[in-house]
Amino acid sequence: MSLDIRTVHDDDIPGWILALSTGLLRPPVVSAEEIAHRRADYEPARTQGAFDRGRCVATFRSFAQELTVVGGARLVSDAVSNVTVSPTHRRRGVLSRMMERDLRAAKERGDAVSSLIAAEYPIYGRFGYGPATWTTSWRIDVRRAGIDPRHAGPESGGRIDFASPEEVCALGPALHDRFRALTPGAVSRPGQWWERATGLVRFPNQPSPERQHVVYRSPSGEVEGLADYVIKDRWEAKQPQNTAQVHRLISTTPAAERALWRFLCSIDWVLHVDTGRRAPDDLLPHHLGDPRAAAVQEHADYLWLRPLDVPRLLAARTYPVSGSLVLEVEDRAGLAGGRFLLDAGPDGATCTPTTRSADLTLDVGELATLYLGDTPASRLAALGRVHEERPGALRTADTLLHTARRPWCPDIF
């Protein structure tokens, strides 16, 4: 079957949205609201569709996104999203063709890395992506948490206030910019993100409950934290069995984070708090009197990266000590492979092509997994995914690349 894979024109948008909804198992409804939203948001040159006799049967979109790396620098990433293939057209190489087009365009554009949230684990490794951050969610049994609701206000002299969606849209972007500067793995949020996240913009085929928004302000009045949640209201025999489902919680100080969790765990009639996806080494359980009151519900890979420019990537992040490594990076797609010398130290790093003998050999996807510091190279070597060519090179790689705190991406895109 011949398929026409091309960029999406303005008059293709309704059919593209229909194919997206089909692929994401949403109702096959195309609303005027979503058409207007897409038209305001999409870049034609970076939005692809596969068309069979005029009908869109696959979707693919990318956009520019800032990624915070170790040390706080921000790199522009080719962020991939809205990837679907309709059930009628699977296993025909459609995704491979769209992905190859996008990655080559990103390479020509000068992007150092591509990023995505993988809906399924096995798909994206073959395109050179590797999981770079992980996420964990907890369910808190409030009765065991050891928080006295009579004395659960902020201990630091700050305060928590409810906020309207409009207030969150006004306060949130600046807070998020400060948050992501501190958080390797965090990404930028486009302008329309806040309208969708707060419910100011809704699509009929994607109903969502009304959310409560709360803001933490420090004693000086500065906004240092923000959370939104919904209450799942359930009673049995006139006894409350309610759950607070947290969708997002970000903070720039430990005091703000602690105050927001204590607030959520002390809402009258709430017996459980579902935390949503958090950093895998989140402090949350230890904010509770009994950390065992927070039971892990999910632990999974989250943000995946695909290196496109190895020297730029490795030179952009920071390193705790001085050291050097020669990396033989293998890339079947021919986009980022080669042998590179990394000279790193607390004052900066350089990374250049070299003819020196390799210290480590690894696939480009394994470099992605190492890049933000989440996984030690020695762990990947034990799995047979990194090969030590010089004795001691794994120890050097662990010292240079691994980080004390794990990276975290709180956003889906």
Side-chain angles (χ1 to χ4, degrees), residues 8 33 35 43 120 150 153 203 212 246 276 337 350 352 384 386 407:
V8 171
E33 294 89 343
I35 291 173
E43 298 179 55
E120 297 181 60
R150 298 170 299 174
F203 303 148
Q212 295 277 15
V246 181
T350 61
T352 55
V386 169

Side-chain angles (χ1 to χ4, degrees), residues 3-265:
L3 292 176
D4 180 20
I5 296 178
R6 57 174 174 79
T7 56
V8 171
H9 307 139
D10 186 76
D11 57 359
D12 295 320
I13 291 178
W16 191 90
I17 294 173
L18 181 61
L20 178 67
S21 296
T22 300
L24 297 179
L25 306 184
R26 294 172 180 164
V29 176
V30 180
S31 66
E33 294 89 343
E34 187 166 4
I35 291 173
H37 178 83
R38 291 289 179 186
R39 281 186 170 140
D41 190 49
Y42 94 117
E43 298 179 55
R46 299 179 67 164
T47 305
Q48 299 183 62
F51 295 84
D52 180 8
R53 291 178 292 184
R55 181 185 179 91
C56 187
V57 295
T59 62
F60 189 108
R61 181 174 75 95
S62 69
F63 59 96
Q65 180 184 74
E66 287 186 345
L67 169 71
T68 303
V69 305
V70 179
R74 299 175 180 180
L75 287 177
V76 176
S77 170
D78 174 58
V80 172
S81 184
N82 297 146
V83 178
T84 72
V85 179
S86 295
T88 52
H89 289 73
R90 297 170 64 246
R91 303 291 184 265
R92 301 179 189 181
V94 177
L95 172 58
S96 296
R97 291 168 63 185
M98 293 192 296
M99 181 65 79
E100 180 181 2
R101 285 178 53 147
D102 184 79
L103 289 177
R104 293 203 175 277
K107 177 73 173 180
E108 293 173 4
R109 206 165 42 240
D111 295 343
V113 65
S114 181
S115 56
L116 55 80
I117 308 295
E120 297 181 60
Y121 195 102
I123 293 176
Y124 293 98
R126 69 179 188 264
F127 301 117
Y129 290 85
T133 77
W134 288 65
T135 184
T136 303
S137 62
W138 286 268
R139 183 173 175 82
I140 303 171
D141 184 340
V142 170
R143 291 166 295 188
R144 293 182 51 200
I147 295 176
D148 185 346
R150 298 170 299 174
H151 307 287
E155 300 171 336
S156 58
R159 58 179 292 152
I160 291 176
D161 298 300
F162 284 99
S164 68
E166 291 81 4
E167 289 173 314
V168 172
C169 287
L171 298 171
L175 173 68
H176 180 256
D177 280 346
R178 298 199 306 274
F179 159 79
R180 67 187 177 104
L182 304 170
T183 310
V187 296
S188 57
R189 293 172 173 172
Q192 291 186 323
W193 185 96
W194 292 95
E195 295 177 347
R196 289 288 311 280
T198 57
L200 288 177
V201 172
R202 298 171 185 266
F203 303 148
N205 66 332
Q206 300 173 44
S208 59
E210 297 288 348
R211 299 179 184 177
Q212 295 277 15
H213 305 275
V214 289
V215 172
Y216 172 84
R217 289 181 171 85
S218 70
S220 65
E222 183 176 6
V223 175
E224 293 182 346
L226 175 66
D228 67 80
Y229 64 95
V230 298
I231 300 295
K232 296 180 179 178
D233 188 31
R234 186 170 69 87
W235 291 66
E236 292 182 0
K238 298 200 73 174
Q239 295 296 317
Q241 307 292 323
N242 299 321
T243 297
Q245 173 66 62
V246 181
H247 286 267
R248 293 177 186 85
L249 188 155
I250 60 170
S251 63
T252 56
T253 64
E257 182 177 329
R258 177 176 171 81
L260 287 168
W261 286 122
R262 287 172 62 87
F263 165 79
L264 290 162
C265 289

Side-chain angles (χ1 to χ4, degrees), residues 318-330:
T318 61
Y319 302 86
V321 298
S322 296
S324 64
L325 277 173
V326 177
L327 303 175
E328 181 77 39
V329 180
E330 298 174 341

